[in-house]
Amino acid sequence: QSVLAQPPSASGTPGQRVTISCSGSSSNIGSNYVYWYQQFPGTAPRLLIYRNNQRPPGVPDRFSGSKSGTSASLAISGLRSEDEADYYCAAWDDSLSGLVVFGGGTKLTAL
Amino acid sequence: EVQLVESGGGLVQPGGSLKLSCAASGFTFSGSAMHWVRQAPGKGLESIGRIRSKANSYATVYAASVKGRFTISRDDSKKTVYLQMNNLTIEDTAVYYCTRPNGNLPEGFDPWGQGTLVTVSS
């Protein structure tokens, strides 16, 4: 049972805008930044969004993040087939003395 | 190039021990906290522990699921962080990744190692 709650799956047609939600609590999302990771099968996760809505170099601006209260969301606009992957939200948790908590992951399918 | 390379995974019997290594390059390892994250087959990511830098007294913290069984250590001269795993159970079967908070992308985990698979089975 993951600390942060995500829907197990999401889908959209190419070109569509898709959002993935992430729900936490006051000790994690409510008081800390949210991060998003992208993971393709058999590979390590990759940082996609940091500090709620910042993109690392090389991440397309089709990916955007937002946060409100104890929830966050990842939006992917202009969905492409190559965006099919697992997406994880994460946040530092004040009750865990320096550990990050993750969501259970959302498998994104481009129909 | 900033890189992390894990090694040491393999097959171990329940109750056994294993020590993983993570070799770093391309950044100031001694000044960086290092984290271990695992992923059970078909499951999500789980943060299992962290070790801070010498400046922060090499402080460690562990997830409840591994506390008392796993120990994280580091050798700054070798730019390597270790994960000693004792009293392993079937539930510890997972790919183990090392990663670090990137000060340039505060404080996202970047990069990640390629992962090393630990299988606990009789």
Side-chain angles (χ1 to χ4, degrees):
Chain A
Q1 194 80 355
S2 301
V3 176
L4 305 182
Q6 296 181 237
S9 63
S11 62
T13 56
Q16 197 173 22
R17 184 176 187 269
V18 176
T19 60
I20 297 172
S21 63
C22 176
S23 178
S25 67
S26 58
S27 66
N28 41 67
I29 293 178
S31 53
N32 293 291
Y33 292 112
V34 176
Y35 300 79
W36 290 90
Y37 297 88
Q38 178 188 57
Q39 185 181 36
F40 297 104
T43 70
R46 164 203 182 196
L47 180 64
L48 196 65
I49 297 287
Y50 67 98
R51 288 200 166 183
N52 300 337
N53 55 20
Q54 303 300 301
R55 287 183 303 276
V59 174
D61 59 7
R62 301 186 295 104
F63 294 91
S64 62
S66 64
K67 170 187 155 178
S68 178
T70 59
S71 295
S73 63
L74 173 71
I76 306 166
S77 60
L79 184 66
R80 299 184 178 183
S81 58
E82 57 260 39
D83 297 333
E84 283 201 345
D86 293 324
Y87 293 85
Y88 294 89
C89 60
W92 299 88
D93 195 304
D94 294 341
S95 66
L96 295 178
S97 304
L99 287 184
V100 164
V101 290
F102 290 95
T106 298
K107 183 175 183 59
L108 176 63
T109 302
L111 300 171
Chain B
E1 179 191 6
V2 179
Q3 194 172 16
L4 297 169
V5 179
E6 301 97 338
S7 61
L11 176 63
V12 61
Q13 292 186 335
S17 298
L18 206 60
K19 187 173 185 178
L20 308 182
S21 301
C22 170
S25 60
F27 66 99
T28 305
F29 177 80
S30 61
S32 181
M34 296 298 297
H35 291 244
W36 286 94
V37 177
R38 71 182 178 182
Q39 186 171 35
K43 303 297 183 180
L45 302 170
E46 179 189 16
S47 181
I48 59 172
R50 173 226 75 201
I51 186 167
R52 299 185 75 181
S53 65
K54 180 179 181 179
N56 293 287
S57 304
Y58 298 127
T60 55
V61 64
Y62 301 94
S65 57
V66 306
K67 193 172 184 179
R69 301 187 299 121
F70 289 14
T71 302
I72 300 174
S73 61
R74 62 191 295 162
D75 185 334
D76 290 344
S77 68
K78 295 182 178 180
K79 298 184 179 181
T80 300
V81 61
Y82 304 98
L83 179 64
Q84 175 68 48
M85 305 183 292
N86 298 330
N87 195 20
L88 286 160
T89 71
I90 293 175
E91 288 71 37
D92 296 316
T93 294
V95 174
Y96 286 74
Y97 297 100
C98 66
T99 185
R100 62 138 195 185
N102 188 327
N104 294 323
L105 306 171
E107 291 276 319
F109 286 153
D110 172 79
W112 295 61
Q114 85 287 357
T116 187
L117 176 62
V118 173
T119 303
V120 184
S121 174
S122 55

PDB file of all heavy atoms in Angstrom, chain B residues 1-4 24-34 52-54 74-80 100-104 111:
ATOM      1  N   GLU B   1      30.312  12.566 -17.389  1.00  0.00           N
ATOM      2  CA  GLU B   1      28.926  12.105 -17.289  1.00  0.00           C
ATOM      3  C   GLU B   1      28.649  11.595 -15.876  1.00  0.00           C
ATOM      4  O   GLU B   1      29.421  10.819 -15.324  1.00  0.00           O
ATOM      5  CB  GLU B   1      28.669  10.972 -18.293  1.00  0.00           C
ATOM      6  CG  GLU B   1      27.266  10.398 -18.243  1.00  0.00           C
ATOM      7  CD  GLU B   1      27.130   9.116 -19.044  1.00  0.00           C
ATOM      8  OE1 GLU B   1      28.140   8.612 -19.547  1.00  0.00           O
ATOM      9  OE2 GLU B   1      26.000   8.614 -19.164  1.00  0.00           O
ATOM     10  N   VAL B   2      27.559  12.034 -15.313  1.00  0.00           N
ATOM     11  CA  VAL B   2      27.146  11.561 -13.995  1.00  0.00           C
ATOM     12  C   VAL B   2      26.594  10.152 -14.132  1.00  0.00           C
ATOM     13  O   VAL B   2      25.717   9.901 -14.956  1.00  0.00           O
ATOM     14  CB  VAL B   2      26.092  12.488 -13.385  1.00  0.00           C
ATOM     15  CG1 VAL B   2      25.642  11.969 -12.028  1.00  0.00           C
ATOM     16  CG2 VAL B   2      26.636  13.910 -13.264  1.00  0.00           C
ATOM     17  N   GLN B   3      27.132   9.229 -13.350  1.00  0.00           N
ATOM     18  CA  GLN B   3      26.734   7.833 -13.504  1.00  0.00           C
ATOM     19  C   GLN B   3      26.741   7.104 -12.166  1.00  0.00           C
ATOM     20  O   GLN B   3      27.571   7.380 -11.297  1.00  0.00           O
ATOM     21  CB  GLN B   3      27.685   7.128 -14.474  1.00  0.00           C
ATOM     22  CG  GLN B   3      27.204   5.782 -14.968  1.00  0.00           C
ATOM     23  CD  GLN B   3      28.092   5.222 -16.069  1.00  0.00           C
ATOM     24  OE1 GLN B   3      29.212   5.684 -16.275  1.00  0.00           O
ATOM     25  NE2 GLN B   3      27.592   4.224 -16.793  1.00  0.00           N
ATOM     26  N   LEU B   4      25.809   6.186 -12.017  1.00  0.00           N
ATOM     27  CA  LEU B   4      25.739   5.288 -10.870  1.00  0.00           C
ATOM     28  C   LEU B   4      25.620   3.866 -11.398  1.00  0.00           C
ATOM     29  O   LEU B   4      24.796   3.605 -12.289  1.00  0.00           O
ATOM     30  CB  LEU B   4      24.532   5.624  -9.993  1.00  0.00           C
ATOM     31  CG  LEU B   4      24.527   7.013  -9.343  1.00  0.00           C
ATOM     32  CD1 LEU B   4      23.163   7.322  -8.725  1.00  0.00           C
ATOM     33  CD2 LEU B   4      25.622   7.118  -8.300  1.00  0.00           C
ATOM     34  N   ALA B  24      29.865   5.466  -7.972  1.00  0.00           N
ATOM     35  CA  ALA B  24      29.474   6.758  -8.535  1.00  0.00           C
ATOM     36  C   ALA B  24      30.622   7.385  -9.317  1.00  0.00           C
ATOM     37  O   ALA B  24      31.794   7.163  -9.014  1.00  0.00           O
ATOM     38  CB  ALA B  24      29.041   7.699  -7.418  1.00  0.00           C
ATOM     39  N   SER B  25      30.268   8.178 -10.290  1.00  0.00           N
ATOM     40  CA  SER B  25      31.260   8.939 -11.045  1.00  0.00           C
ATOM     41  C   SER B  25      30.615  10.174 -11.640  1.00  0.00           C
ATOM     42  O   SER B  25      29.399  10.233 -11.814  1.00  0.00           O
ATOM     43  CB  SER B  25      31.866   8.077 -12.160  1.00  0.00           C
ATOM     44  OG  SER B  25      30.873   7.646 -13.054  1.00  0.00           O
ATOM     45  N   GLY B  26      31.444  11.181 -11.899  1.00  0.00           N
ATOM     46  CA  GLY B  26      30.961  12.371 -12.590  1.00  0.00           C
ATOM     47  C   GLY B  26      30.401  13.463 -11.714  1.00  0.00           C
ATOM     48  O   GLY B  26      29.924  14.481 -12.227  1.00  0.00           O
ATOM     49  N   PHE B  27      30.423  13.268 -10.396  1.00  0.00           N
ATOM     50  CA  PHE B  27      29.964  14.323  -9.498  1.00  0.00           C
ATOM     51  C   PHE B  27      30.706  14.210  -8.170  1.00  0.00           C
ATOM     52  O   PHE B  27      31.410  13.239  -7.917  1.00  0.00           O
ATOM     53  CB  PHE B  27      28.445  14.267  -9.288  1.00  0.00           C
ATOM     54  CG  PHE B  27      27.945  13.034  -8.557  1.00  0.00           C
ATOM     55  CD1 PHE B  27      27.656  13.065  -7.202  1.00  0.00           C
ATOM     56  CD2 PHE B  27      27.753  11.833  -9.244  1.00  0.00           C
ATOM     57  CE1 PHE B  27      27.181  11.943  -6.539  1.00  0.00           C
ATOM     58  CE2 PHE B  27      27.280  10.705  -8.594  1.00  0.00           C
ATOM     59  CZ  PHE B  27      27.005  10.753  -7.234  1.00  0.00           C
ATOM     60  N   THR B  28      30.538  15.208  -7.321  1.00  0.00           N
ATOM     61  CA  THR B  28      31.224  15.234  -6.030  1.00  0.00           C
ATOM     62  C   THR B  28      30.500  14.297  -5.074  1.00  0.00           C
ATOM     63  O   THR B  28      29.612  14.701  -4.309  1.00  0.00           O
ATOM     64  CB  THR B  28      31.268  16.660  -5.470  1.00  0.00           C
ATOM     65  OG1 THR B  28      31.862  17.533  -6.443  1.00  0.00           O
ATOM     66  CG2 THR B  28      32.095  16.698  -4.181  1.00  0.00           C
ATOM     67  N   PHE B  29      30.914  13.031  -5.111  1.00  0.00           N
ATOM     68  CA  PHE B  29      30.229  11.994  -4.334  1.00  0.00           C
ATOM     69  C   PHE B  29      30.248  12.303  -2.843  1.00  0.00           C
ATOM     70  O   PHE B  29      29.237  12.144  -2.161  1.00  0.00           O
ATOM     71  CB  PHE B  29      30.906  10.656  -4.599  1.00  0.00           C
ATOM     72  CG  PHE B  29      30.339   9.513  -3.797  1.00  0.00           C
ATOM     73  CD1 PHE B  29      29.175   8.888  -4.192  1.00  0.00           C
ATOM     74  CD2 PHE B  29      30.984   9.064  -2.646  1.00  0.00           C
ATOM     75  CE1 PHE B  29      28.644   7.834  -3.460  1.00  0.00           C
ATOM     76  CE2 PHE B  29      30.466   8.018  -1.911  1.00  0.00           C
ATOM     77  CZ  PHE B  29      29.294   7.396  -2.309  1.00  0.00           C
ATOM     78  N   SER B  30      31.377  12.768  -2.350  1.00  0.00           N
ATOM     79  CA  SER B  30      31.525  12.954  -0.907  1.00  0.00           C
ATOM     80  C   SER B  30      30.530  13.963  -0.342  1.00  0.00           C
ATOM     81  O   SER B  30      30.195  13.925   0.840  1.00  0.00           O
ATOM     82  CB  SER B  30      32.950  13.390  -0.566  1.00  0.00           C
ATOM     83  OG  SER B  30      33.245  14.628  -1.191  1.00  0.00           O
ATOM     84  N   GLY B  31      30.057  14.855  -1.148  1.00  0.00           N
ATOM     85  CA  GLY B  31      29.142  15.886  -0.675  1.00  0.00           C
ATOM     86  C   GLY B  31      27.676  15.546  -0.857  1.00  0.00           C
ATOM     87  O   GLY B  31      26.800  16.356  -0.504  1.00  0.00           O
ATOM     88  N   SER B  32      27.403  14.383  -1.383  1.00  0.00           N
ATOM     89  CA  SER B  32      26.038  14.023  -1.746  1.00  0.00           C
ATOM     90  C   SER B  32      25.453  12.964  -0.822  1.00  0.00           C
ATOM     91  O   SER B  32      26.118  11.992  -0.478  1.00  0.00           O
ATOM     92  CB  SER B  32      25.994  13.504  -3.174  1.00  0.00           C
ATOM     93  OG  SER B  32      24.671  13.172  -3.546  1.00  0.00           O
ATOM     94  N   ALA B  33      24.186  13.161  -0.431  1.00  0.00           N
ATOM     95  CA  ALA B  33      23.455  12.072   0.188  1.00  0.00           C
ATOM     96  C   ALA B  33      23.196  11.014  -0.883  1.00  0.00           C
ATOM     97  O   ALA B  33      23.125  11.335  -2.079  1.00  0.00           O
ATOM     98  CB  ALA B  33      22.132  12.579   0.758  1.00  0.00           C
ATOM     99  N   MET B  34      23.055   9.773  -0.461  1.00  0.00           N
ATOM    100  CA  MET B  34      22.773   8.681  -1.384  1.00  0.00           C
ATOM    101  C   MET B  34      21.592   7.881  -0.856  1.00  0.00           C
ATOM    102  O   MET B  34      21.474   7.642   0.349  1.00  0.00           O
ATOM    103  CB  MET B  34      23.991   7.781  -1.540  1.00  0.00           C
ATOM    104  CG  MET B  34      25.200   8.471  -2.163  1.00  0.00           C
ATOM    105  SD  MET B  34      24.916   9.070  -3.836  1.00  0.00           S
ATOM    106  CE  MET B  34      24.604   7.532  -4.714  1.00  0.00           C
ATOM    107  N   ARG B  52      23.599  10.219   4.554  1.00  0.00           N
ATOM    108  CA  ARG B  52      24.008  11.582   4.244  1.00  0.00           C
ATOM    109  C   ARG B  52      25.526  11.657   4.148  1.00  0.00           C
ATOM    110  O   ARG B  52      26.240  10.673   4.297  1.00  0.00           O
ATOM    111  CB  ARG B  52      23.441  12.535   5.297  1.00  0.00           C
ATOM    112  CG  ARG B  52      21.912  12.511   5.342  1.00  0.00           C
ATOM    113  CD  ARG B  52      21.342  13.547   6.289  1.00  0.00           C
ATOM    114  NE  ARG B  52      21.417  14.893   5.730  1.00  0.00           N
ATOM    115  CZ  ARG B  52      21.002  15.987   6.367  1.00  0.00           C
ATOM    116  NH1 ARG B  52      20.499  15.892   7.601  1.00  0.00           N
ATOM    117  NH2 ARG B  52      21.093  17.164   5.796  1.00  0.00           N
ATOM    118  N   SER B  53      26.035  12.851   3.902  1.00  0.00           N
ATOM    119  CA  SER B  53      27.464  13.053   3.712  1.00  0.00           C
ATOM    120  C   SER B  53      28.199  13.135   5.041  1.00  0.00           C
ATOM    121  O   SER B  53      27.588  13.187   6.121  1.00  0.00           O
ATOM    122  CB  SER B  53      27.684  14.347   2.922  1.00  0.00           C
ATOM    123  OG  SER B  53      27.239  15.450   3.708  1.00  0.00           O
ATOM    124  N   LYS B  54      29.536  13.168   4.959  1.00  0.00           N
ATOM    125  CA  LYS B  54      30.360  13.291   6.160  1.00  0.00           C
ATOM    126  C   LYS B  54      30.004  14.569   6.911  1.00  0.00           C
ATOM    127  O   LYS B  54      29.954  14.566   8.145  1.00  0.00           O
ATOM    128  CB  LYS B  54      31.843  13.302   5.775  1.00  0.00           C
ATOM    129  CG  LYS B  54      32.782  13.415   6.968  1.00  0.00           C
ATOM    130  CD  LYS B  54      34.246  13.396   6.530  1.00  0.00           C
ATOM    131  CE  LYS B  54      35.187  13.490   7.726  1.00  0.00           C
ATOM    132  NZ  LYS B  54      36.611  13.458   7.313  1.00  0.00           N
ATOM    133  N   ARG B  74      29.057   3.924   3.328  1.00  0.00           N
ATOM    134  CA  ARG B  74      29.698   4.525   2.160  1.00  0.00           C
ATOM    135  C   ARG B  74      31.193   4.616   2.375  1.00  0.00           C
ATOM    136  O   ARG B  74      31.681   4.681   3.499  1.00  0.00           O
ATOM    137  CB  ARG B  74      29.117   5.907   1.875  1.00  0.00           C
ATOM    138  CG  ARG B  74      29.319   6.928   2.975  1.00  0.00           C
ATOM    139  CD  ARG B  74      28.482   8.197   2.729  1.00  0.00           C
ATOM    140  NE  ARG B  74      28.920   8.912   1.542  1.00  0.00           N
ATOM    141  CZ  ARG B  74      28.164   9.829   0.927  1.00  0.00           C
ATOM    142  NH1 ARG B  74      26.942  10.108   1.363  1.00  0.00           N
ATOM    143  NH2 ARG B  74      28.650  10.460  -0.133  1.00  0.00           N
ATOM    144  N   ASP B  75      31.924   4.621   1.261  1.00  0.00           N
ATOM    145  CA  ASP B  75      33.367   4.826   1.270  1.00  0.00           C
ATOM    146  C   ASP B  75      33.626   5.956   0.290  1.00  0.00           C
ATOM    147  O   ASP B  75      33.629   5.739  -0.931  1.00  0.00           O
ATOM    148  CB  ASP B  75      34.095   3.546   0.856  1.00  0.00           C
ATOM    149  CG  ASP B  75      35.606   3.667   0.963  1.00  0.00           C
ATOM    150  OD1 ASP B  75      36.137   4.791   0.866  1.00  0.00           O
ATOM    151  OD2 ASP B  75      36.271   2.622   1.121  1.00  0.00           O
ATOM    152  N   ASP B  76      33.834   7.145   0.813  1.00  0.00           N
ATOM    153  CA  ASP B  76      34.004   8.310  -0.056  1.00  0.00           C
ATOM    154  C   ASP B  76      35.285   8.214  -0.888  1.00  0.00           C
ATOM    155  O   ASP B  76      35.349   8.754  -1.999  1.00  0.00           O
ATOM    156  CB  ASP B  76      34.009   9.599   0.773  1.00  0.00           C
ATOM    157  CG  ASP B  76      32.635   9.927   1.350  1.00  0.00           C
ATOM    158  OD1 ASP B  76      31.633   9.341   0.869  1.00  0.00           O
ATOM    159  OD2 ASP B  76      32.545  10.756   2.284  1.00  0.00           O
ATOM    160  N   SER B  77      36.280   7.520  -0.371  1.00  0.00           N
ATOM    161  CA  SER B  77      37.534   7.380  -1.133  1.00  0.00           C
ATOM    162  C   SER B  77      37.332   6.515  -2.374  1.00  0.00           C
ATOM    163  O   SER B  77      38.029   6.675  -3.370  1.00  0.00           O
ATOM    164  CB  SER B  77      38.635   6.787  -0.251  1.00  0.00           C
ATOM    165  OG  SER B  77      38.348   5.438   0.087  1.00  0.00           O
ATOM    166  N   LYS B  78      36.363   5.620  -2.307  1.00  0.00           N
ATOM    167  CA  LYS B  78      36.057   4.754  -3.448  1.00  0.00           C
ATOM    168  C   LYS B  78      34.822   5.230  -4.205  1.00  0.00           C
ATOM    169  O   LYS B  78      34.413   4.592  -5.181  1.00  0.00           O
ATOM    170  CB  LYS B  78      35.844   3.316  -2.975  1.00  0.00           C
ATOM    171  CG  LYS B  78      37.086   2.664  -2.388  1.00  0.00           C
ATOM    172  CD  LYS B  78      36.818   1.210  -1.986  1.00  0.00           C
ATOM    173  CE  LYS B  78      38.092   0.563  -1.449  1.00  0.00           C
ATOM    174  NZ  LYS B  78      37.862  -0.851  -1.049  1.00  0.00           N
ATOM    175  N   LYS B  79      34.216   6.322  -3.741  1.00  0.00           N
ATOM    176  CA  LYS B  79      32.995   6.845  -4.368  1.00  0.00           C
ATOM    177  C   LYS B  79      31.942   5.741  -4.505  1.00  0.00           C
ATOM    178  O   LYS B  79      31.319   5.571  -5.565  1.00  0.00           O
ATOM    179  CB  LYS B  79      33.299   7.477  -5.725  1.00  0.00           C
ATOM    180  CG  LYS B  79      34.246   8.665  -5.661  1.00  0.00           C
ATOM    181  CD  LYS B  79      34.434   9.311  -7.020  1.00  0.00           C
ATOM    182  CE  LYS B  79      35.366  10.508  -6.926  1.00  0.00           C
ATOM    183  NZ  LYS B  79      35.545  11.178  -8.245  1.00  0.00           N
ATOM    184  N   THR B  80      31.767   5.023  -3.430  1.00  0.00           N
ATOM    185  CA  THR B  80      30.858   3.875  -3.452  1.00  0.00           C
ATOM    186  C   THR B  80      29.964   3.879  -2.221  1.00  0.00           C
ATOM    187  O   THR B  80      30.418   4.165  -1.112  1.00  0.00           O
ATOM    188  CB  THR B  80      31.650   2.559  -3.518  1.00  0.00           C
ATOM    189  OG1 THR B  80      32.447   2.556  -4.716  1.00  0.00           O
ATOM    190  CG2 THR B  80      30.717   1.360  -3.542  1.00  0.00           C
ATOM    191  N   ARG B 100      20.557   9.628  -6.154  1.00  0.00           N
ATOM    192  CA  ARG B 100      20.953  10.752  -5.305  1.00  0.00           C
ATOM    193  C   ARG B 100      20.055  11.944  -5.575  1.00  0.00           C
ATOM    194  O   ARG B 100      19.512  12.091  -6.679  1.00  0.00           O
ATOM    195  CB  ARG B 100      22.399  11.135  -5.616  1.00  0.00           C
ATOM    196  CG  ARG B 100      22.583  11.588  -7.065  1.00  0.00           C
ATOM    197  CD  ARG B 100      23.476  12.775  -7.224  1.00  0.00           C
ATOM    198  NE  ARG B 100      23.329  13.361  -8.564  1.00  0.00           N
ATOM    199  CZ  ARG B 100      24.061  14.363  -9.018  1.00  0.00           C
ATOM    200  NH1 ARG B 100      25.003  14.909  -8.263  1.00  0.00           N
ATOM    201  NH2 ARG B 100      23.855  14.851 -10.221  1.00  0.00           N
ATOM    202  N   PRO B 101      19.854  12.793  -4.575  1.00  0.00           N
ATOM    203  CA  PRO B 101      19.138  14.052  -4.812  1.00  0.00           C
ATOM    204  C   PRO B 101      20.054  14.981  -5.599  1.00  0.00           C
ATOM    205  O   PRO B 101      21.191  15.204  -5.224  1.00  0.00           O
ATOM    206  CB  PRO B 101      18.898  14.606  -3.401  1.00  0.00           C
ATOM    207  CG  PRO B 101      19.238  13.500  -2.469  1.00  0.00           C
ATOM    208  CD  PRO B 101      20.248  12.644  -3.171  1.00  0.00           C
ATOM    209  N   ASN B 102      19.560  15.475  -6.713  1.00  0.00           N
ATOM    210  CA  ASN B 102      20.368  16.326  -7.583  1.00  0.00           C
ATOM    211  C   ASN B 102      20.210  17.782  -7.166  1.00  0.00           C
ATOM    212  O   ASN B 102      19.127  18.343  -7.259  1.00  0.00           O
ATOM    213  CB  ASN B 102      19.915  16.126  -9.030  1.00  0.00           C
ATOM    214  CG  ASN B 102      20.817  16.828 -10.030  1.00  0.00           C
ATOM    215  OD1 ASN B 102      21.363  17.896  -9.738  1.00  0.00           O
ATOM    216  ND2 ASN B 102      20.959  16.236 -11.190  1.00  0.00           N
ATOM    217  N   GLY B 103      21.290  18.370  -6.700  1.00  0.00           N
ATOM    218  CA  GLY B 103      21.230  19.758  -6.253  1.00  0.00           C
ATOM    219  C   GLY B 103      20.881  20.729  -7.354  1.00  0.00           C
ATOM    220  O   GLY B 103      20.366  21.830  -7.097  1.00  0.00           O
ATOM    221  N   ASN B 104      21.121  20.344  -8.606  1.00  0.00           N
ATOM    222  CA  ASN B 104      20.795  21.218  -9.740  1.00  0.00           C
ATOM    223  C   ASN B 104      19.333  21.099 -10.142  1.00  0.00           C
ATOM    224  O   ASN B 104      18.809  21.937 -10.889  1.00  0.00           O
ATOM    225  CB  ASN B 104      21.667  20.877 -10.944  1.00  0.00           C
ATOM    226  CG  ASN B 104      23.122  21.189 -10.682  1.00  0.00           C
ATOM    227  OD1 ASN B 104      23.451  22.182 -10.031  1.00  0.00           O
ATOM    228  ND2 ASN B 104      24.003  20.341 -11.184  1.00  0.00           N
ATOM    229  N   PRO B 111      21.029  11.086 -11.185  1.00  0.00           N
ATOM    230  CA  PRO B 111      20.490   9.978 -11.968  1.00  0.00           C
ATOM    231  C   PRO B 111      20.106   8.800 -11.082  1.00  0.00           C
ATOM    232  O   PRO B 111      20.198   8.910  -9.853  1.00  0.00           O
ATOM    233  CB  PRO B 111      21.669   9.598 -12.867  1.00  0.00           C
ATOM    234  CG  PRO B 111      22.853   9.813 -11.968  1.00  0.00           C
ATOM    235  CD  PRO B 111      22.515  11.035 -11.149  1.00  0.00           C
TER     236      PRO B 111
END
